[in-house]
Amino acid sequence: MSRRVRLIAALVIPLVGIGALIVRGELRSTGDRVWRVPVEGYDPRDLLSGQYLRYRYLWAGEAVLCPGGPPDCCLCLSGASAGVAATPQVYSVDCAQSEQTEACDDLVRSAEVRGPERFYIDERYALAAETAMRERAASVELVVTAEGGVAVRELFFDGVPWRETLVPSK
């Protein structure tokens, strides 16, 4: 293989890989239903972890994280509205039980949403976002992936996207 071909391959292969990751991320973040889920800061003493705001979901519904439940536990999200971000009603189900999952608009594996989540915030606005997370009603807009994970699309404070709330307009 000539030196020129190796050089071209060395430049093209990483670009193709990065492009594939971007396409995968975009496909994961587009879904039929969009959910708006309230969140709260994970650790009130220190919500920031580098440039990431740490939070946890406040699911509306019965106890949802399957304490002592089946090992293959999912959260059943229901109450979707076409084209509108809806706050889901949530209850836990066994992922393998089709009779339990039929009534669900979306299924999320509970292991995907147990721990603290992170949302990237530009460091210029990190302290303002931390303050807003403490003082205002926060929520995230998400879609459920085919694998039962979640892809977060946006962070909101009092129903307004965080950039419109914290970033000064020019």
Side-chain angles (χ1 to χ4, degrees):
M1 185 182 302
S2 75
R3 188 177 185 136
R4 185 177 208 174
V5 172
R6 286 190 299 220
L7 176 63
I8 291 171
L11 293 173
V12 170
I13 290 173
L15 292 175
V16 169
I18 290 170
L21 290 173
I22 291 170
V23 168
R24 178 178 163 249
E26 286 299 316
L27 290 174
R28 286 185 67 178
S29 69
T30 58
D32 293 339
R33 288 173 290 277
V34 178
W35 301 102
R36 182 78 58 89
V37 180
V39 297
E40 69 179 355
Y42 182 72
D43 182 353
R45 294 165 292 158
D46 184 21
L47 296 178
L48 289 174
S49 175
Q51 293 178 314
Y52 291 92
L53 195 61
R54 295 185 302 170
Y55 64 90
R56 66 176 150 219
Y57 297 106
L58 297 173
W59 298 106
E62 61 184 66
V64 295
L65 293 181
C66 313
D72 196 20
C73 179
C74 282
L75 304 183
C76 175
L77 280 59
S78 61
S81 299
V84 178
T87 301
Q89 288 299 311
V90 183
Y91 58 93
S92 57
V93 296
D94 185 336
C95 300
Q97 297 293 325
S98 62
E99 65 273 358
Q100 290 181 0
T101 62
E102 286 175 358
C104 304
D105 291 327
D106 275 321
L107 284 173
V108 176
R109 296 202 172 278
S110 65
E112 294 284 326
V113 293
R114 278 184 199 263
E117 305 296 326
R118 300 181 335 163
F119 188 86
Y120 173 79
I121 298 287
D122 186 310
E123 66 185 27
R124 294 174 291 176
Y125 310 110
L127 292 176
E130 183 177 18
T131 301
M133 182 67 96
R134 286 190 178 113
E135 297 174 356
R136 301 166 83 179
S139 60
V140 292
E141 190 175 87
L142 56 86
V143 294
V144 178
T145 67
E147 301 85 31
V150 295
V152 175
R153 295 168 83 177
E154 185 64 87
L155 172 66
F156 294 83
F157 295 116
D158 295 331
V160 179
W162 77 272
R163 285 178 186 84
E164 293 177 27
T165 306
L166 303 179
V167 178
S169 58
K170 295 180 182 182

